[in-house]
Amino acid sequence: MSDLYNVSSSPHVRSKDTTSRIMLYVLIALLPAALFGIYNFGFRALLLIVLTIASCIVSEYLFNLVTKRKQTIYDLSAVVTGLLLALNLPPTLPWWMAILGGAFAIVVVKCLFGGLGQNFMNPALGARCFLLLSFTGPMTTFANSRYYISQGMDAVSSATPLAALKAGQGVNTMDMLIGRIPGTIGETSVIAILIGAIFLILMGVIDLRIPGTYIVTFVIFVLLFGGHGFDWNYVVAQLCGGGIMLGAFFMATDYVTSPITPMGKIIFGIVLGILTGIFRIFGASAEGVSYAIIFSNLLVPLIERISIPRPFGKGGER
Amino acid sequence: MNKNLERVYNGLIKETPTFILMLGMCPTLAVTTSAINGVGMGLSTTVVLILSNMLISMLRKIIPDKVRVPAFIVIVASFVTIVQFLVQGFIPSLYASLGIYIPLIVVNCIILGRAESYASKNPIVPSIFDGVGMGLGFTFGLTCIGVVREIIGAGTVFNVKMTELREMMGTGGGTAVGIVILLAGVLLIAWGAFSLKKKGTAPVKIVAVAVGIVLALLAVVALLGSHYTPVTLIGLAPGAFFVLAVLVAIMNMVRESAEKKGRPLPAAQGCLGGDCSSCGQSAACGQAKAVEKKDEA
């Protein structure tokens, strides 16, 4: 090799991080939530998870084949997208909708815009919103959880605690923390999600700026506008219900669709918190995390533009 | 061919506004939520187009060149107002679903475009037929898109449920008719797609492919019957963009292959009539780059 290729002086930081390694960490971190979902909702949840992941991998493979691009399925990002999407689906969803959603996430939201790194919106959430708008009925019917059935509730489907909260009913926050409640496959157990999130933070895959500001802003918003005053029970129920935990730690922190500047991350989190609060409290439906995240994804280029750090030594220059 | 007939053929097939000239995209996106809306919008526009082409052609020697655009707009706006009141008076349901888009016919680029490029330079009778052709071509485009969005988004066509349509024909008969229509659609698509590489006018084949796609979709949904779950999103606003994106992608492929063979299609006239120099988006727009390339050549 010629000396021309030796560009450097200075100490260099070498990192073992590759795309597939980071994706592997995310997959490991999602495992507790996925396993709890399978325990909670049974075989049907496992089937949906497998089908959605398979659909994502196959559609990425086929897209690359048809458009004669480099094969990218080995970077594991399609697997992560598939798993995230599956965790965002209700366990009773017809199987073909899950497959359609996976294909939509990969082909329309990711690959058509140039593949990983070029997508302007989180593929899993884009697909979830596509399914939610297209098949509103099946997407908002939630199977009863194993625990509630064992407690003698024989209804096949049930309202999520968040919907019950919106309707002004009381909820059991302990059940919500553990996750033995109806909901989408992966969103129910706050504990399982937090185990994964702590793993990701310890491994240095995500930092706390986005989820931290997101959750703090959301709590402040709920305290101010929730109409329940300083009722901590209500606040905890809002935090543990729905997809806010899964969204804050696993989807808002997606490298491609979140700001890279430190200040930008904080702005991003605040926007997310306010939007989620508006959708949940003033919106027609009980949940709004996925819309809040894809809306904020669209704002990322603007947020980055106003939050570029000033280079060292550039003083007052602009 | 008779000059008048040639005008109708030109508007309906050779320079179909929606598919080839890419004109009038705003109403195309906004009102094609169902087939009936597409037909209603298309026919309203046709009426305005015929009348305004006629009057502008009559006045073409009187209108001073410098103020021609305001003059055209006044003429078009008068006819739009007449059509608006007529629709409101006689078809209130259509008026309710088209809403603001009827008054917005005034700024539909097809109408001003035809006034500028045809009616203001040609005699009355051909101008009328130009209006007929362009209007029907626009109606055809809107109806095709409307039918596709309605089938996918609601499982109906012209508000008739596909399942009912099938029951009307009886179980066996319905299936047979469905399969025949499906085959017809697939054959049309195949003929259009494969013979594009051979001689003959490309626009006819594009229209054939469009009709083929509509027929095939109709048949598939009818054959699935009650197993079909409508994809509601396609009927909502984002659906228009999906359908349009697919459409533009297909048209770009056709355009490219036509240019390779040295028989280019008529240029797309959307966005300021192909003049990209004054457009803020031109840096990011594929169309602008194509125009630039053509200018250099």
Side-chain angles (χ1 to χ4, degrees), chain A residues 148-161:
Chain A
Y148 280 4
I149 292 172
S150 73
Q151 291 293 299
M153 274 174 63
D154 52 358
V156 179
S157 65
S158 168
T160 61

Side-chain angles (χ1 to χ4, degrees), chain A residues 157-316:
Chain A
S157 65
S158 168
T160 61
L162 210 58
L165 204 64
K166 180 118 183 161
Q169 298 158 3
V171 289
N172 184 338
T173 42
M174 198 56 196
D175 284 351
M176 296 171 80
L177 204 63
I178 300 172
R180 40 194 192 189
I181 50 169
T184 70
I185 295 173
E187 74 178 10
T188 55
S189 173
V190 175
I191 292 177
I193 293 168
L194 284 181
I195 292 172
I198 291 168
F199 171 75
L200 280 189
I201 292 167
L202 289 182
M203 298 308 285
V205 176
I206 61 175
D207 70 23
L208 257 179
R209 284 197 189 90
I210 292 173
T213 41
Y214 183 3
I215 290 169
V216 168
T217 314
F218 178 70
V219 166
I220 295 173
F221 192 95
V222 168
L223 285 175
L224 288 178
F225 300 106
H228 286 252
F230 280 90
D231 177 359
W232 285 107
N233 208 26
Y234 178 75
V235 174
V236 172
Q238 279 284 3
L239 274 182
C240 297
I244 187 166
M245 286 295 164
L246 190 64
F249 288 105
F250 289 97
M251 287 176 293
T253 53
D254 176 11
Y255 285 169
V256 183
T257 54
S258 64
I260 50 169
T261 56
M263 192 59 202
K265 288 184 180 182
I266 291 168
I267 300 174
F268 186 67
I270 294 173
V271 172
L272 281 169
I274 293 174
L275 282 179
T276 308
I278 290 175
F279 291 150
R280 275 200 185 175
I281 290 165
F282 302 113
S285 71
E287 179 57 300
V289 171
S290 37
Y291 289 126
I293 296 178
I294 62 173
F295 266 42
S296 313
N297 285 165
L298 302 182
L299 294 177
V300 165
L302 296 176
I303 293 174
E304 283 183 340
R305 184 177 289 186
I306 58 167
S307 63
I308 300 171
R310 188 170 297 162
F312 182 71
K314 284 272 173 177

Side-chain angles (χ1 to χ4, degrees), chain B residues 124-193:
Chain B
I124 300 173
V125 179
S127 295
I128 293 177
F129 279 95
D130 184 71
V132 173
M134 281 288 159
L136 291 183
F138 185 56
T139 312
F140 167 73
L142 287 194
T143 313
C144 278
I145 299 178
V147 170
V148 168
R149 287 182 67 190
E150 195 180 338
I151 299 174
I152 303 179
T156 63
V157 67
F158 289 105
N159 292 332
V160 182
K161 275 211 178 85
M162 297 308 294
T163 42
E164 285 171 17
L165 209 64
R166 204 178 149 193
E167 274 162 19
M168 272 194 299
M169 296 183 194
T171 339
T175 314
V177 172
I179 291 174
V180 169
I181 294 178
L182 179 63
L183 280 180
V186 171
L187 279 179
L188 270 177
I189 298 174
W191 175 72

Side-chain angles (χ1 to χ4, degrees), chain A residues 96 104 108 130 133-135, chain B residues 229-233 236 242:
Chain A
W96 62 270
F104 184 89
V108 178
F130 162 75
L133 285 172
S134 294
F135 314 111
Chain B
T229 315
V231 184
T232 328
L233 187 78
L236 301 173
F242 288 135

